[in-house]
Amino acid sequence: MKRIIALVALLSFAPAVPAACDDPPGPGVIWSGCDKADADLAGVDLTGATLSRTDLSGADLTGARMEKADLDFVDFSDADLTGAMLADGHLLRVEAAGATLANADLRRANGDRGNFSGADLRNARLDDASLVQADLSRARLDDASLEGANLGQADLTDATLTGASLREARLKEATLTGADLRRVDAERADFGEARLRRVDFREAILRHADLARAELADERLEGAILEYATWPDYRRCSGNSVGRCE
């Protein structure tokens, strides 16, 4: 019994296995806290890898596979992740300012409180992703798919989302001041209590959208479909509302 107790005590004080930063890239690799800035990792398979707190700023990750990877607190600033696959990834508080994520797959990813300011997310897939309190100011999200995404309290100031799909997306208390949402499909989206000053909703689809208590001012609504939308004052728009809530 004494030997068992001694063994348990020894194991409990055993040092944690360090990240093998020199290990070659591969599924499940542990690169936690490593310096991979400006690395050439185009097309690598990092499925399920642990990369938390790793510096990947300026890295080439075009076409890389990082599904279900631990990317919490990773520095992706100015990195190229064009076409990268990050579905189901953990990107909590990720630093991706100025990163290129065009055509990337971020479905169901958790990027809460991440910094995507000025990032290129054109044509990206963000369906059912969580971006609560994320910074997406000045981000390019043209033609991106954010169906069912949670952008509660996110900052989308001066972001561009022309042609994006926001069907059933949650943008409660989000800031969209000066955002370009021309031709977006935001059917059944929740903009409750959102800041929508100077938002461009021209030709947008806002059918059944909820704008209750939203701060709407100096907006552009020409050609916008507002059928049965809930207006900031809780009015329900008629089924013939186009360009204005009637």
Side-chain angles (χ1 to χ4, degrees):
M1 180 60 72
K2 290 182 178 179
R3 289 181 179 178
I4 294 174
I5 293 173
L7 180 59
V8 171
L10 180 64
L11 291 173
S12 65
F13 287 103
V17 177
C21 296
D22 293 328
D23 281 357
V29 69
I30 299 175
W31 281 353
S32 182
C34 299
D35 183 0
K36 299 291 179 180
D38 300 313
D40 184 359
L41 297 166
V44 299
D45 188 350
L46 296 167
T47 304
T50 299
L51 298 144
S52 56
R53 301 183 186 278
T54 289
D55 184 359
L56 284 159
S57 58
D60 183 358
L61 288 151
T62 54
R65 297 193 59 177
M66 290 178 279
E67 297 100 323
K68 299 181 179 180
D70 180 356
L71 304 165
D72 291 345
F73 299 93
V74 167
D75 186 354
F76 281 125
S77 53
D78 298 315
D80 190 348
L81 293 103
T82 302
M85 290 173 276
L86 300 114
D88 300 294
H90 300 276
L91 294 101
L92 182 68
R93 290 185 180 273
V94 69
E95 178 60 56
T100 300
L101 289 144
N103 299 299
D105 184 354
L106 289 138
R107 289 174 298 166
R108 300 174 302 279
N110 184 350
D112 291 351
R113 300 185 183 182
N115 181 9
F116 298 89
S117 59
D120 182 354
L121 288 146
R122 287 175 293 179
N123 293 294
R125 301 178 68 185
L126 293 139
D127 304 313
D128 298 311
S130 183
L131 293 160
V132 174
Q133 296 183 359
D135 184 354
L136 289 150
S137 57
R138 304 181 310 283
R140 295 291 304 275
L141 288 148
D142 310 72
D143 300 310
S145 182
L146 296 112
E147 296 185 9
N150 188 354
L151 293 121
Q153 299 182 350
D155 185 357
L156 289 130
T157 302
D158 294 324
T160 305
L161 296 100
T162 55
S165 179
L166 290 163
R167 293 173 66 91
E168 299 186 9
R170 289 162 285 170
L171 296 108
K172 198 172 183 65
E173 298 182 48
T175 299
L176 293 105
T177 303
D180 186 347
L181 284 89
R182 286 174 297 161
R183 302 188 304 281
V184 299
D185 183 351
E187 183 168 344
R188 299 186 185 278
D190 183 0
F191 292 95
E193 301 180 71
R195 295 174 182 86
L196 301 171
R197 299 181 69 86
R198 296 184 288 103
V199 168
D200 192 342
F201 273 129
R202 282 179 291 172
E203 299 182 32
I205 299 172
L206 293 161
R207 186 182 292 116
H208 291 284
D210 187 355
L211 289 85
R213 298 181 65 183
E215 184 183 337
L216 194 64
D218 301 318
E219 70 281 1
R220 299 286 301 274
L221 288 165
E222 296 95 312
I225 298 172
L226 304 169
E227 297 174 6
Y228 309 113
T230 301
W231 218 234
D233 58 4
Y234 292 98
R235 278 186 300 138
R236 189 72 176 270
C237 304
S238 73
N240 298 314
S241 295
V242 177
R244 59 182 295 178
C245 183
E246 298 177 328

